[in-house]
mmCIF file of all heavy atoms in Angstrom:
data_model
loop_
_atom_site.group_PDB
_atom_site.id
_atom_site.type_symbol
_atom_site.label_atom_id
_atom_site.label_comp_id
_atom_site.label_asym_id
_atom_site.label_seq_id
_atom_site.Cartn_x
_atom_site.Cartn_y
_atom_site.Cartn_z
ATOM 1 N N VAL A 823 -7.276 -16.245 -4.013
ATOM 2 C CA VAL A 823 -7.575 -17.276 -4.973
ATOM 3 C C VAL A 823 -7.193 -16.940 -6.368
ATOM 4 O O VAL A 823 -7.301 -15.793 -6.839
ATOM 5 C CB VAL A 823 -8.943 -17.728 -5.026
ATOM 6 C CG1 VAL A 823 -9.300 -18.937 -5.892
ATOM 7 C CG2 VAL A 823 -9.415 -18.155 -3.564
ATOM 8 N N ASN A 824 -6.548 -17.856 -7.209
ATOM 9 C CA ASN A 824 -6.389 -17.631 -8.612
ATOM 10 C C ASN A 824 -7.589 -18.182 -9.404
ATOM 11 O O ASN A 824 -7.758 -19.414 -9.631
ATOM 12 C CB ASN A 824 -5.058 -18.423 -9.075
ATOM 13 C CG ASN A 824 -4.732 -18.104 -10.499
ATOM 14 O OD1 ASN A 824 -5.329 -17.308 -11.177
ATOM 15 N ND2 ASN A 824 -3.941 -19.022 -11.125
ATOM 16 N N LYS A 825 -8.519 -17.166 -9.687
ATOM 17 C CA LYS A 825 -9.812 -17.570 -10.284
ATOM 18 C C LYS A 825 -9.534 -17.997 -11.691
ATOM 19 O O LYS A 825 -8.932 -17.177 -12.526
ATOM 20 C CB LYS A 825 -10.802 -16.502 -10.094
ATOM 21 C CG LYS A 825 -12.237 -16.908 -10.648
ATOM 22 C CD LYS A 825 -13.181 -15.689 -10.727
ATOM 23 C CE LYS A 825 -12.894 -14.978 -12.064
ATOM 24 N NZ LYS A 825 -13.463 -15.571 -13.337
ATOM 25 N N PRO A 826 -10.153 -19.141 -12.198
ATOM 26 C CA PRO A 826 -10.056 -19.489 -13.735
ATOM 27 C C PRO A 826 -10.989 -18.724 -14.418
ATOM 28 O O PRO A 826 -12.014 -18.229 -13.786
ATOM 29 C CB PRO A 826 -10.332 -20.936 -13.743
ATOM 30 C CG PRO A 826 -11.173 -21.131 -12.410
ATOM 31 C CD PRO A 826 -10.778 -20.198 -11.336
ATOM 32 N N TRP A 827 -10.747 -18.438 -15.734
ATOM 33 C CA TRP A 827 -11.749 -17.953 -16.562
ATOM 34 C C TRP A 827 -12.839 -18.833 -16.692
ATOM 35 O O TRP A 827 -12.788 -19.994 -16.309
ATOM 36 C CB TRP A 827 -11.066 -17.453 -17.870
ATOM 37 C CG TRP A 827 -10.953 -18.700 -18.948
ATOM 38 C CD1 TRP A 827 -9.854 -19.324 -18.998
ATOM 39 C CD2 TRP A 827 -11.837 -19.059 -19.896
ATOM 40 N NE1 TRP A 827 -10.087 -20.338 -19.975
ATOM 41 C CE2 TRP A 827 -11.242 -20.071 -20.606
ATOM 42 C CE3 TRP A 827 -13.152 -18.563 -20.321
ATOM 43 C CZ2 TRP A 827 -11.813 -20.821 -21.703
ATOM 44 C CZ3 TRP A 827 -13.760 -19.303 -21.347
ATOM 45 C CH2 TRP A 827 -13.069 -20.400 -21.983
ATOM 46 N N ASN A 828 -14.086 -18.321 -17.162
ATOM 47 C CA ASN A 828 -15.328 -19.006 -17.300
ATOM 48 C C ASN A 828 -15.847 -19.476 -15.874
ATOM 49 O O ASN A 828 -16.699 -20.316 -15.825
ATOM 50 C CB ASN A 828 -15.075 -20.338 -18.073
ATOM 51 C CG ASN A 828 -16.454 -20.830 -18.672
ATOM 52 O OD1 ASN A 828 -17.417 -20.039 -18.936
ATOM 53 N ND2 ASN A 828 -16.595 -22.133 -18.859
ATOM 54 N N MET A 829 -15.469 -18.716 -14.806
ATOM 55 C CA MET A 829 -16.104 -18.903 -13.596
ATOM 56 C C MET A 829 -16.659 -17.586 -13.084
ATOM 57 O O MET A 829 -15.942 -16.654 -12.838
ATOM 58 C CB MET A 829 -15.073 -19.407 -12.563
ATOM 59 C CG MET A 829 -15.687 -19.552 -11.020
ATOM 60 S SD MET A 829 -14.401 -20.055 -9.849
ATOM 61 C CE MET A 829 -14.676 -21.858 -9.872
ATOM 62 N N VAL A 830 -18.000 -17.586 -12.760
ATOM 63 C CA VAL A 830 -18.722 -16.501 -12.167
ATOM 64 C C VAL A 830 -18.193 -16.402 -10.567
ATOM 65 O O VAL A 830 -18.188 -17.558 -10.008
ATOM 66 C CB VAL A 830 -20.291 -16.616 -12.303
ATOM 67 C CG1 VAL A 830 -20.927 -15.519 -11.560
ATOM 68 C CG2 VAL A 830 -20.585 -16.599 -13.792
ATOM 69 N N VAL A 831 -18.156 -15.272 -10.152
ATOM 70 C CA VAL A 831 -17.635 -15.015 -8.784
ATOM 71 C C VAL A 831 -18.739 -15.441 -7.712
ATOM 72 O O VAL A 831 -18.423 -16.230 -6.740
ATOM 73 C CB VAL A 831 -17.205 -13.589 -8.493
ATOM 74 C CG1 VAL A 831 -17.004 -13.376 -7.043
ATOM 75 C CG2 VAL A 831 -15.910 -13.293 -9.305
ATOM 76 N N HIS A 832 -19.973 -14.980 -7.889
ATOM 77 C CA HIS A 832 -21.079 -15.358 -6.932
ATOM 78 C C HIS A 832 -22.267 -15.651 -7.694
ATOM 79 O O HIS A 832 -22.590 -15.148 -8.818
ATOM 80 C CB HIS A 832 -21.172 -14.270 -5.960
ATOM 81 C CG HIS A 832 -21.715 -12.956 -6.502
ATOM 82 N ND1 HIS A 832 -22.989 -12.728 -6.833
ATOM 83 C CD2 HIS A 832 -21.062 -11.814 -6.694
ATOM 84 C CE1 HIS A 832 -23.195 -11.431 -7.236
ATOM 85 N NE2 HIS A 832 -21.953 -10.883 -7.217
ATOM 86 N N PRO A 833 -23.204 -16.422 -7.095
ATOM 87 C CA PRO A 833 -24.492 -16.800 -7.682
ATOM 88 C C PRO A 833 -25.288 -15.621 -8.000
ATOM 89 O O PRO A 833 -25.338 -14.658 -7.240
ATOM 90 C CB PRO A 833 -25.239 -17.645 -6.628
ATOM 91 C CG PRO A 833 -24.074 -18.241 -5.867
ATOM 92 C CD PRO A 833 -23.080 -17.127 -5.705
ATOM 93 N N ALA A 834 -26.042 -15.610 -9.116
ATOM 94 C CA ALA A 834 -26.912 -14.469 -9.617
ATOM 95 C C ALA A 834 -27.770 -15.129 -10.625
ATOM 96 O O ALA A 834 -27.515 -16.303 -11.035
ATOM 97 C CB ALA A 834 -26.163 -13.353 -10.056
ATOM 98 N N LYS A 835 -28.655 -14.303 -11.155
ATOM 99 C CA LYS A 835 -29.564 -14.832 -12.174
ATOM 100 C C LYS A 835 -28.811 -15.573 -13.378
ATOM 101 O O LYS A 835 -27.909 -15.002 -13.955
ATOM 102 C CB LYS A 835 -30.340 -13.623 -12.700
ATOM 103 C CG LYS A 835 -31.419 -14.016 -13.647
ATOM 104 C CD LYS A 835 -32.252 -12.890 -14.147
ATOM 105 C CE LYS A 835 -33.336 -13.270 -15.149
ATOM 106 N NZ LYS A 835 -34.162 -12.088 -15.638
ATOM 107 N N GLY A 836 -29.196 -16.760 -13.647
ATOM 108 C CA GLY A 836 -28.642 -17.479 -14.793
ATOM 109 C C GLY A 836 -27.359 -18.185 -14.279
ATOM 110 O O GLY A 836 -26.741 -19.061 -15.002
ATOM 111 N N ASN A 837 -26.736 -17.977 -13.031
ATOM 112 C CA ASN A 837 -25.593 -18.673 -12.650
ATOM 113 C C ASN A 837 -25.774 -19.039 -11.205
ATOM 114 O O ASN A 837 -25.137 -18.424 -10.282
ATOM 115 C CB ASN A 837 -24.434 -17.853 -12.831
ATOM 116 C CG ASN A 837 -24.038 -17.564 -14.274
ATOM 117 O OD1 ASN A 837 -23.567 -18.368 -14.903
ATOM 118 N ND2 ASN A 837 -24.450 -16.278 -14.711
ATOM 119 N N TRP A 838 -26.578 -19.984 -10.896
ATOM 120 C CA TRP A 838 -26.800 -20.373 -9.414
ATOM 121 C C TRP A 838 -25.921 -21.521 -8.960
ATOM 122 O O TRP A 838 -25.944 -21.851 -7.789
ATOM 123 C CB TRP A 838 -28.215 -20.784 -9.265
ATOM 124 C CG TRP A 838 -29.226 -19.645 -9.376
ATOM 125 C CD1 TRP A 838 -30.193 -19.669 -10.523
ATOM 126 C CD2 TRP A 838 -29.373 -18.505 -8.765
ATOM 127 N NE1 TRP A 838 -30.799 -18.468 -10.414
ATOM 128 C CE2 TRP A 838 -30.397 -17.740 -9.421
ATOM 129 C CE3 TRP A 838 -28.756 -18.027 -7.552
ATOM 130 C CZ2 TRP A 838 -30.797 -16.566 -8.955
ATOM 131 C CZ3 TRP A 838 -29.232 -16.718 -7.185
ATOM 132 C CH2 TRP A 838 -30.207 -16.006 -7.833
ATOM 133 N N SER A 839 -25.098 -22.092 -9.831
ATOM 134 C CA SER A 839 -24.017 -23.067 -9.475
ATOM 135 C C SER A 839 -22.822 -22.884 -10.149
ATOM 136 O O SER A 839 -22.786 -22.137 -11.087
ATOM 137 C CB SER A 839 -24.696 -24.561 -9.626
ATOM 138 O OG SER A 839 -24.847 -24.650 -10.966
ATOM 139 N N GLY A 840 -21.792 -23.597 -9.645
ATOM 140 C CA GLY A 840 -20.521 -23.559 -10.375
ATOM 141 C C GLY A 840 -19.739 -22.245 -10.213
ATOM 142 O O GLY A 840 -18.778 -22.032 -10.779
ATOM 143 N N THR A 841 -20.151 -21.434 -9.138
ATOM 144 C CA THR A 841 -19.488 -20.193 -8.983
ATOM 145 C C THR A 841 -18.293 -20.342 -7.956
ATOM 146 O O THR A 841 -18.179 -21.307 -7.266
ATOM 147 C CB THR A 841 -20.408 -19.133 -8.391
ATOM 148 O OG1 THR A 841 -20.812 -19.498 -7.089
ATOM 149 C CG2 THR A 841 -21.734 -19.120 -9.272
ATOM 150 N N LEU A 842 -17.494 -19.302 -7.874
ATOM 151 C CA LEU A 842 -16.479 -19.207 -6.874
ATOM 152 C C LEU A 842 -17.048 -19.450 -5.466
ATOM 153 O O LEU A 842 -16.469 -20.120 -4.618
ATOM 154 C CB LEU A 842 -15.702 -17.945 -6.881
ATOM 155 C CG LEU A 842 -14.475 -17.776 -5.911
ATOM 156 C CD1 LEU A 842 -13.473 -18.846 -6.012
ATOM 157 C CD2 LEU A 842 -13.941 -16.346 -6.035
ATOM 158 N N VAL A 843 -18.214 -18.733 -5.094
ATOM 159 C CA VAL A 843 -18.830 -18.944 -3.803
ATOM 160 C C VAL A 843 -19.121 -20.352 -3.503
ATOM 161 O O VAL A 843 -19.003 -20.842 -2.426
ATOM 162 C CB VAL A 843 -20.088 -17.909 -3.638
ATOM 163 C CG1 VAL A 843 -20.783 -18.328 -2.461
ATOM 164 C CG2 VAL A 843 -19.484 -16.543 -3.551
ATOM 165 N N ASN A 844 -19.580 -21.064 -4.540
ATOM 166 C CA ASN A 844 -20.050 -22.493 -4.345
ATOM 167 C C ASN A 844 -18.817 -23.324 -3.959
ATOM 168 O O ASN A 844 -18.822 -24.063 -2.980
ATOM 169 C CB ASN A 844 -20.659 -23.151 -5.587
ATOM 170 C CG ASN A 844 -22.048 -22.424 -5.959
ATOM 171 O OD1 ASN A 844 -22.159 -21.753 -6.877
ATOM 172 N ND2 ASN A 844 -23.094 -22.861 -5.174
ATOM 173 N N ALA A 845 -17.682 -22.994 -4.559
ATOM 174 C CA ALA A 845 -16.367 -23.710 -4.199
ATOM 175 C C ALA A 845 -15.917 -23.289 -2.910
ATOM 176 O O ALA A 845 -15.417 -24.122 -2.239
ATOM 177 C CB ALA A 845 -15.352 -23.257 -5.386
ATOM 178 N N LEU A 846 -16.073 -22.004 -2.540
ATOM 179 C CA LEU A 846 -15.565 -21.542 -1.270
ATOM 180 C C LEU A 846 -16.330 -22.206 -0.101
ATOM 181 O O LEU A 846 -15.806 -22.519 0.912
ATOM 182 C CB LEU A 846 -15.664 -19.957 -1.211
ATOM 183 C CG LEU A 846 -14.633 -19.197 -2.172
ATOM 184 C CD1 LEU A 846 -15.103 -17.669 -2.098
ATOM 185 C CD2 LEU A 846 -13.259 -19.397 -1.614
ATOM 186 N N GLN A 847 -17.643 -22.256 -0.385
ATOM 187 C CA GLN A 847 -18.564 -22.866 0.656
ATOM 188 C C GLN A 847 -18.106 -24.290 0.929
ATOM 189 O O GLN A 847 -18.106 -24.735 2.079
ATOM 190 C CB GLN A 847 -19.988 -22.941 0.166
ATOM 191 C CG GLN A 847 -20.636 -21.555 0.076
ATOM 192 C CD GLN A 847 -21.151 -21.023 1.413
ATOM 193 O OE1 GLN A 847 -20.744 -21.598 2.477
ATOM 194 N NE2 GLN A 847 -21.969 -20.081 1.330
ATOM 195 N N TYR A 848 -17.634 -25.091 -0.088
ATOM 196 C CA TYR A 848 -17.144 -26.432 0.153
ATOM 197 C C TYR A 848 -15.889 -26.530 0.792
ATOM 198 O O TYR A 848 -15.615 -27.297 1.740
ATOM 199 C CB TYR A 848 -17.063 -27.076 -1.253
ATOM 200 C CG TYR A 848 -16.747 -28.668 -1.178
ATOM 201 C CD1 TYR A 848 -17.663 -29.579 -1.048
ATOM 202 C CD2 TYR A 848 -15.409 -28.987 -1.189
ATOM 203 C CE1 TYR A 848 -17.306 -30.963 -0.939
ATOM 204 C CE2 TYR A 848 -14.950 -30.307 -1.087
ATOM 205 C CZ TYR A 848 -16.004 -31.250 -0.955
ATOM 206 O OH TYR A 848 -15.614 -32.636 -0.839
ATOM 207 N N ARG A 849 -14.880 -25.519 0.440
ATOM 208 C CA ARG A 849 -13.577 -25.582 0.978
ATOM 209 C C ARG A 849 -13.492 -25.043 2.392
ATOM 210 O O ARG A 849 -12.849 -25.532 3.247
ATOM 211 C CB ARG A 849 -12.690 -24.754 -0.078
ATOM 212 C CG ARG A 849 -11.200 -24.631 0.429
ATOM 213 C CD ARG A 849 -10.461 -25.962 0.297
ATOM 214 N NE ARG A 849 -9.071 -25.735 0.680
ATOM 215 C CZ ARG A 849 -8.061 -25.642 -0.140
ATOM 216 N NH1 ARG A 849 -8.363 -25.687 -1.492
ATOM 217 N NH2 ARG A 849 -6.905 -25.364 0.184
ATOM 218 N N PHE A 850 -14.198 -24.021 2.626
ATOM 219 C CA PHE A 850 -14.161 -23.325 3.918
ATOM 220 C C PHE A 850 -15.368 -23.401 4.819
ATOM 221 O O PHE A 850 -15.259 -22.840 5.983
ATOM 222 C CB PHE A 850 -13.813 -21.882 3.731
ATOM 223 C CG PHE A 850 -12.457 -21.700 3.011
ATOM 224 C CD1 PHE A 850 -12.474 -21.283 1.655
ATOM 225 C CD2 PHE A 850 -11.216 -21.982 3.584
ATOM 226 C CE1 PHE A 850 -11.259 -21.130 0.903
ATOM 227 C CE2 PHE A 850 -10.062 -21.830 2.843
ATOM 228 C CZ PHE A 850 -10.077 -21.470 1.611
ATOM 229 N N ALA A 851 -16.436 -23.959 4.348
ATOM 230 C CA ALA A 851 -17.607 -24.183 5.146
ATOM 231 C C ALA A 851 -18.089 -22.845 5.951
ATOM 232 O O ALA A 851 -18.473 -21.936 5.244
ATOM 233 C CB ALA A 851 -17.407 -25.320 6.158
ATOM 234 N N GLN A 852 -17.969 -22.811 7.260
ATOM 235 C CA GLN A 852 -18.433 -21.715 8.055
ATOM 236 C C GLN A 852 -17.343 -20.766 8.243
ATOM 237 O O GLN A 852 -17.621 -19.635 8.924
ATOM 238 C CB GLN A 852 -18.965 -22.244 9.403
ATOM 239 C CG GLN A 852 -20.057 -23.299 9.427
ATOM 240 C CD GLN A 852 -21.226 -22.832 8.605
ATOM 241 O OE1 GLN A 852 -21.665 -21.702 8.845
ATOM 242 N NE2 GLN A 852 -21.737 -23.617 7.700
ATOM 243 N N GLN A 853 -16.180 -20.753 7.500
ATOM 244 C CA GLN A 853 -15.123 -19.856 7.754
ATOM 245 C C GLN A 853 -15.149 -18.759 6.674
ATOM 246 O O GLN A 853 -14.082 -18.379 6.127
ATOM 247 C CB GLN A 853 -13.753 -20.575 7.711
ATOM 248 C CG GLN A 853 -13.537 -21.597 8.823
ATOM 249 C CD GLN A 853 -12.148 -22.399 8.635
ATOM 250 O OE1 GLN A 853 -11.940 -22.786 7.606
ATOM 251 N NE2 GLN A 853 -11.377 -22.267 9.688
ATOM 252 N N LEU A 854 -16.284 -18.209 6.396
ATOM 253 C CA LEU A 854 -16.470 -17.111 5.429
ATOM 254 C C LEU A 854 -17.224 -16.021 6.038
ATOM 255 O O LEU A 854 -18.211 -16.114 6.750
ATOM 256 C CB LEU A 854 -17.073 -17.661 4.152
ATOM 257 C CG LEU A 854 -16.352 -18.685 3.419
ATOM 258 C CD1 LEU A 854 -17.127 -19.207 2.252
ATOM 259 C CD2 LEU A 854 -15.067 -17.962 2.693
ATOM 260 N N ALA A 855 -16.860 -14.721 5.724
ATOM 261 C CA ALA A 855 -17.549 -13.575 6.169
ATOM 262 C C ALA A 855 -18.788 -13.498 5.514
ATOM 263 O O ALA A 855 -19.067 -13.854 4.299
ATOM 264 C CB ALA A 855 -16.660 -12.283 5.645
ATOM 265 N N LEU A 856 -19.906 -13.149 6.286
ATOM 266 C CA LEU A 856 -21.262 -13.149 5.836
ATOM 267 C C LEU A 856 -21.963 -11.770 5.657
ATOM 268 O O LEU A 856 -23.100 -11.532 5.567
ATOM 269 C CB LEU A 856 -22.242 -14.019 6.710
ATOM 270 C CG LEU A 856 -21.878 -15.502 6.574
ATOM 271 C CD1 LEU A 856 -22.691 -16.337 7.638
ATOM 272 C CD2 LEU A 856 -22.225 -16.007 5.168
ATOM 273 N N GLY A 857 -21.019 -10.762 5.913
ATOM 274 C CA GLY A 857 -21.531 -9.413 5.876
ATOM 275 C C GLY A 857 -22.196 -8.887 4.551
ATOM 276 O O GLY A 857 -22.975 -7.932 4.562
ATOM 277 N N ASN A 858 -21.820 -9.610 3.446
ATOM 278 C CA ASN A 858 -22.484 -9.270 2.180
ATOM 279 C C ASN A 858 -23.585 -10.226 1.838
ATOM 280 O O ASN A 858 -24.008 -10.278 0.677
ATOM 281 C CB ASN A 858 -21.495 -9.342 1.090
ATOM 282 C CG ASN A 858 -20.444 -8.213 1.160
ATOM 283 O OD1 ASN A 858 -20.869 -7.033 1.722
ATOM 284 N ND2 ASN A 858 -19.187 -8.360 0.795
ATOM 285 N N GLY A 859 -23.986 -11.124 2.811
ATOM 286 C CA GLY A 859 -25.023 -12.028 2.502
ATOM 287 C C GLY A 859 -24.444 -13.359 2.190
ATOM 288 O O GLY A 859 -23.296 -13.474 1.645
#
Side-chain angles (χ1 to χ4, degrees):
V823 179
N824 181 14
K825 185 188 84 68
W827 76 271
N828 201 31
M829 174 183 271
V830 173
V831 170
H832 63 78
K835 184 178 180 181
N837 294 284
W838 296 113
S839 64
T841 73
L842 178 61
V843 166
N844 294 106
L846 291 170
Q847 292 279 19
Y848 184 90
R849 178 70 176 263
F850 299 105
Q852 304 304 313
Q853 296 179 309
L854 291 172
L856 292 171
N858 292 329

